[in-house]
Amino acid sequence: MRFTSEQRLGDGVLEREFTLGEIPGTLWTPGAAPAPLVLMAHNNGLPKAEPRLVARARYTAARGYAVATIDAVGCGDRPRSAADEQARADLRRAMQAGEPVDEIFESFIGPLVENAVPEWRTTLDALLELPEIGGPVGYSGGWTALGIRLAVVEPRIAAAGFFAGGYVPRAQREEARQVTIPLLFLLQWDDEGNPRQRALDLFDAFGSKEKTLHANLGGHTGTPWFELEDGCRFLDRHLK
């Protein structure tokens, strides 16, 4: 892991860009060390510099956590395959025409998850070697499909917060039954792109004995800010 830039933010948080082979990432660390680690991913290919992700990361780091995010294969500015680009073009056309889009989502989000998981695990290996990081690991982010797969295959993740706003492929909906760590699941009741019943069925499928559903009125981007504070309290219970 090679750090390429750094800047000191408010509340003593240090923000550093890094590269790990071909993987670009950002790490935020609090003033106190060692700190528990939170992996934070945004939804289905959006960049690590997405403003909502950065705002959540900085807030969480100020609460005493090391927070890391990466641009995995096909995400952010990293190259996308011709198949990915065709699927995204098909998706835009179908949405404009009001046609069903589930099979198109399956065609590119499933491979994105498969390609992203090994890079996230490689990144986790490198992060846990840093002296400023220690203790349990959590996952928090809008990319629920990725989080489900990581929770199944990565025993170092002790708790996770998921947002029900992104498409979850059928494979991950089945894998949800294998997820047993504590969960906090956020649902926007009027999310225009996410059928409510599908989200509720996914919550029901999780195998965790401790799982909490927070549902708020509003559309996809209308999650209340207080949910970020509640999310940190959830992390406090399980990572500190």
Side-chain angles (χ1 to χ4, degrees):
M1 177 174 286
R2 182 172 67 90
F3 290 104
T4 58
S5 69
E6 69 175 57
Q7 62 173 324
R8 183 70 63 177
L9 308 174
D11 298 318
V13 173
L14 181 65
E15 179 183 88
R16 288 175 287 176
E17 300 292 324
F18 65 84
T19 58
L20 182 61
E22 297 182 354
I23 306 169
T26 308
L27 175 64
W28 295 266
T29 48
L37 175 63
V38 177
L39 305 178
M40 195 169 285
H42 202 54
N43 201 28
N44 302 341
L46 290 178
K48 61 184 177 62
E50 204 281 331
R52 285 180 294 161
L53 182 149
V54 171
R56 292 200 309 270
R58 290 179 174 180
Y59 182 92
T60 305
R63 289 283 296 257
Y65 292 94
V67 182
T69 188
I70 64 170
D71 279 342
V73 174
C75 299
D77 294 329
R78 295 185 68 184
R80 294 173 180 169
S81 70
D84 284 345
E85 294 291 8
Q86 183 61 53
R88 291 172 190 275
D90 291 344
L91 178 63
R92 288 191 294 269
R93 179 196 55 76
M95 293 180 70
Q96 290 170 357
E99 298 172 357
V101 296
D102 281 9
E103 292 307 316
I104 302 174
F105 273 126
E106 289 281 341
S107 71
F108 77 93
I109 293 179
L112 271 180
V113 171
E114 294 295 335
N115 292 328
V117 166
E119 294 203 341
W120 274 97
R121 298 187 76 183
T122 296
T123 302
L124 178 58
D125 290 340
L127 289 168
L128 291 178
E129 293 180 358
L130 299 175
E132 58 266 44
I133 295 176
V137 179
Y139 178 90
S140 176
W143 197 354
T144 296
L146 172 67
I148 291 171
R149 172 60 61 83
L150 283 173
V152 170
V153 303
E154 183 47 73
R156 291 172 291 186
I157 295 178
F162 295 148
F163 175 54
Y167 184 83
V168 176
R170 288 185 287 269
Q172 276 69 64
R173 279 179 255 162
E174 288 297 320
E175 286 181 322
R177 305 180 190 283
Q178 302 175 47
V179 175
T180 58
I181 59 176
L183 295 179
L184 175 62
F185 196 55
L186 301 183
L187 170 62
Q188 285 301 102
W189 203 244
D190 309 299
D191 193 330
E192 56 277 12
N194 184 43
R196 184 187 305 162
Q197 191 58 53
R198 179 184 291 169
L200 294 173
D201 290 344
L202 178 61
F203 177 76
D204 189 52
F206 286 121
S208 304
K209 292 183 179 179
E210 180 182 336
K211 54 182 179 180
T212 301
L213 173 67
H214 285 190
N216 291 284
L217 297 178
H220 183 77
T221 60
T223 304
W225 186 252
F226 62 72
E227 288 291 1
L228 183 53
E229 182 179 354
D230 286 349
C232 284
R233 285 200 291 266
F234 167 80
L235 294 173
D236 290 346
R237 290 198 299 274
H238 299 290
L239 303 186
K240 290 187 175 179

